[in-house]
Amino acid sequence: METKIFDQSQLNEAAAILAEGGLVAFPTETVYGLGASALLPNAVAQVYQVKGRPSDNPLIVHIAEPEQLEPFVDNKHPFADKLMETFWPGPLTLIFSIKKDSLPSIVTGGLSTAAFRMPNNTKTLALIKQAQQPLVGPSANTSGKPSPTSAAHVQHDLAGKIAGILDDGVTQIGVESTVLDLSDPTAPPVILRPGAISKEQLEAVLQTKVLVDQHLVTESEAPKAPGMKYKHYAPNTNVMMVNDQDWSAAMAWAKEQQLKVGVLAGPTIAEQVRFEAAAIYLFFDDSVEAATKGLFAGLRALDESIAELDILFAPTFPESGLGAAYMNRLKKAANQSFFQEN
C-alpha cells in the first residue's frame, strides 16, 4: 500500500478514505493520531492491527464540535460543560459513561465508558467535519514506542500500512492530552493521564479538588484510558532518568561501564556532558516546555543514531504543572529507572 502525504488542499480525499473505512494519520496539538471512523468496527480493528496495540486498550474518539457527543452521552458530569467551554478545542480528553451500544465495543475496549476530545488543530477539525463522523485517533506509531510528533515519525513507523498522513509539521506540545475521568456524575473528576492541562488549571476552573490516579497498569490489566501501562513510550535503547545533581556521577558510571551514552538535554546540561556523551539531542532551551516538546523526537532520534548507543540519559523535572506530564511519559519510557549513585 502506498502511504500518501496529504496537504490542506487534499482534505476531501483524506476524508473520503476515512468515511470508506481506510486509515489516515492526522496532526493535533499534542501528537499525531491514527485516524479511522469510530463508527466502523472493521476500520477500528485495522488500527489495532497496524499499531500492534492490545485490544483491551480503549481509544479516544475525536470530534469537531461538542454537539457530536449527543448520540453517545446522555448523563454528563455536572462539570462537563464548563470544562468543554474552557479547554476545547485543546489537549483535554474527557471520559463519559455512554449510551448502551452507541459505539462499537472495539472502540471502548469493552467498557461502558468512552473517551472524547476535540483537538486544537484546524486541519484535523476540518477533516473530521468533512468525514462526517467521529474518528478514533491513538498515537500514529508502533504500540509502546515513542509517540510521533511529526509526519516523518508516522511515515517511519507506518509507511505502507496506512492510506495516508495529513501533514501539519511538528506538533506544538509533544505529549498526549490530559485524560480526565467524568464517568460517574456523582464523583469528583479524576486525572487518569497527565497532560498539558494540569491539575492546577483544572482546579482553578472548577473551584474544587481534582484527584489523580497514580495506579500503573500492568500488562495483564485492562486500562480505562490510553497510556496507563507501566512501561510505554519506550525506544529499543534503554532509558535512564538523571536528576540535576547526578549528571557528573551518571556520566562517570557510564564511562566505567564502557557504555556509549546518548543524552537528551537543554543547553546547560548538554554543555556539561558534551565531552563524555556519544550523541546529544538538544532541547531548544532548559525549560520543561522544551523538554516536553522534544522528548519523543529525542528518544526516536537517539534510538536510531548511527552511534549505536547503549543507554539514553534524560533529565528530570519537578512533577507539577507540565512537569507532571513530562515525568509521566519519561518514567514509562525508562521503565521507572533512575540513575542512583552507589
Side-chain angles (χ1 to χ4, degrees), residues 42-314:
N42 289 341
V44 179
Q46 287 182 62
V47 170
Y48 284 105
Q49 182 179 359
V50 164
K51 281 180 59 67
R53 181 187 178 102
S55 59
D56 67 350
N57 207 351
L59 301 175
I60 294 172
V61 178
H62 292 67
I63 59 177
E65 50 196 6
E67 290 73 22
Q68 283 186 288
L69 286 175
E70 290 174 8
F72 314 108
V73 180
D74 59 359
N75 188 21
K76 282 194 299 189
H77 195 285
F79 290 146
D81 289 335
K82 179 69 171 176
L83 290 167
M84 290 187 287
E85 288 166 12
T86 306
F87 296 112
W88 280 10
L92 179 65
T93 293
L94 301 176
I95 295 181
F96 296 109
S97 180
I98 58 170
K99 299 175 185 177
K100 186 175 173 56
D101 299 327
S102 60
L103 280 169
S105 62
I106 194 170
V107 173
T108 64
L111 301 173
S112 60
T113 59
F116 296 87
R117 131 168 163 84
M118 183 178 170
N120 190 15
N121 183 282
T122 54
K123 287 184 180 178
T124 291
L125 292 177
L127 179 68
I128 297 168
K129 288 177 182 176
Q130 291 190 38
Q132 297 186 321
Q133 50 203 295
L135 305 178
V136 298
S139 56
N141 61 309
T142 302
S143 187
K145 298 304 179 184
S147 299
T149 55
S150 70
H153 293 161
V154 181
Q155 211 164 14
H156 176 276
D157 284 18
L158 303 183
K161 299 179 180 180
I162 63 175
I165 305 166
L166 179 59
D167 190 357
D168 194 33
V170 176
T171 62
Q172 298 165 312
I173 295 170
V175 297
E176 298 85 353
S177 60
T178 304
V179 177
L180 189 69
D181 188 358
L182 297 179
S183 59
D184 182 350
T186 66
V190 182
I191 294 174
L192 300 185
R193 181 181 73 185
I197 305 298
S198 68
K199 177 180 188 289
E200 294 82 2
Q201 287 174 286
L202 293 168
E203 289 179 337
V205 168
L206 299 178
Q207 293 295 297
T208 191
K209 188 171 181 59
V210 172
L211 307 180
V212 179
D213 185 344
Q214 301 282 10
H215 176 62
L216 293 171
V217 176
T218 64
E219 290 305 314
S220 62
E221 291 180 88
K224 193 170 187 179
M228 294 181 72
K229 294 283 187 180
Y230 193 87
K231 185 177 182 183
H232 202 65
Y233 316 112
N236 293 322
T237 311
N238 286 335
V239 179
M240 186 174 285
M241 296 174 278
V242 182
N243 293 320
D244 283 351
Q245 70 275 12
D246 291 334
W247 278 97
S248 294
M251 297 306 294
W253 169 80
K255 185 176 182 180
E256 185 180 306
Q257 300 295 316
Q258 299 184 323
L259 299 176
K260 293 173 74 173
V261 180
V263 171
L264 294 85
T268 299
I269 292 171
E271 178 64 23
Q272 182 181 338
V273 303
R274 64 192 176 99
F275 296 114
E276 292 92 1
I280 296 176
Y281 184 89
L282 188 65
F283 300 145
F284 63 79
D285 62 32
D286 293 324
S287 68
V288 68
E289 290 79 11
T292 303
K293 185 169 184 175
L295 177 62
F296 290 146
L299 290 174
R300 283 175 170 268
L302 292 177
D303 194 39
E304 297 157 18
S305 169
I306 58 172
E308 296 183 354
L309 303 167
D310 297 310
I311 195 165
L312 309 182
F313 286 164

